[in-house]
Amino acid sequence: MYSVIYTSFGVTIYAKDYDLGKIAKSHADTAVKMWSIRESYLSLLTDIKLNNLTLNQIQAKRDELQNQLASVYQNAPRTNSKAYDKASQALKSNEEMTFSDE
């Protein structure tokens, strides 16, 4: 009985100190920005393969995308090791969100 009370109290204190909805929205917003950059990289790879761009254009687009990604990472919400490990496992084992040259 006391464990339920203490657990409930702990969750209440945690939720009071952190706006969980705001944190979730921040993570979702970051994911959308990263998805857009990923798609831009895929488009760049397509243009490279089709010889649609000059070397200077490729380098300029690459640099632009790297700067965009650095900005997203700099402003991204922080996570914990448990969430990081879970995401890493999904990417390694399930090959989620990966692509190949095929």
Side-chain angles (χ1 to χ4, degrees), residues 73-85:
Y73 278 132
Q74 183 177 8
N75 297 308
R78 301 299 170 238
T79 189
N80 58 38
S81 61
K82 183 178 179 183
Y84 176 83
D85 290 342

Side-chain angles (χ1 to χ4, degrees), residues 15-62:
K16 186 177 179 182
D17 288 341
Y18 299 99
D19 184 345
L20 301 179
K22 184 178 179 181
I23 292 170
K25 183 176 180 341
S26 181
H27 281 283
D29 291 346
T30 298
V32 167
K33 291 173 187 171
M34 293 179 85
W35 180 264
S36 177
I37 293 169
R38 176 190 182 271
E39 292 300 306
S40 294
Y41 269 115
L42 288 173
S43 294
L44 177 60
L45 290 172
T46 300
D47 287 338
I48 291 168
K49 195 164 191 167
L50 295 174
N51 294 317
N52 288 343
L53 302 172
T54 66
L55 181 58
N56 287 340
Q57 290 172 318
I58 293 168
Q59 291 170 332
K61 186 62 177 174
R62 178 207 58 206

Side-chain angles (χ1 to χ4, degrees), residues 59-71:
Q59 291 170 332
K61 186 62 177 174
R62 178 207 58 206
D63 292 345
E64 176 189 333
L65 290 171
Q66 287 176 338
N67 288 334
Q68 288 177 14
L69 189 57
S71 177

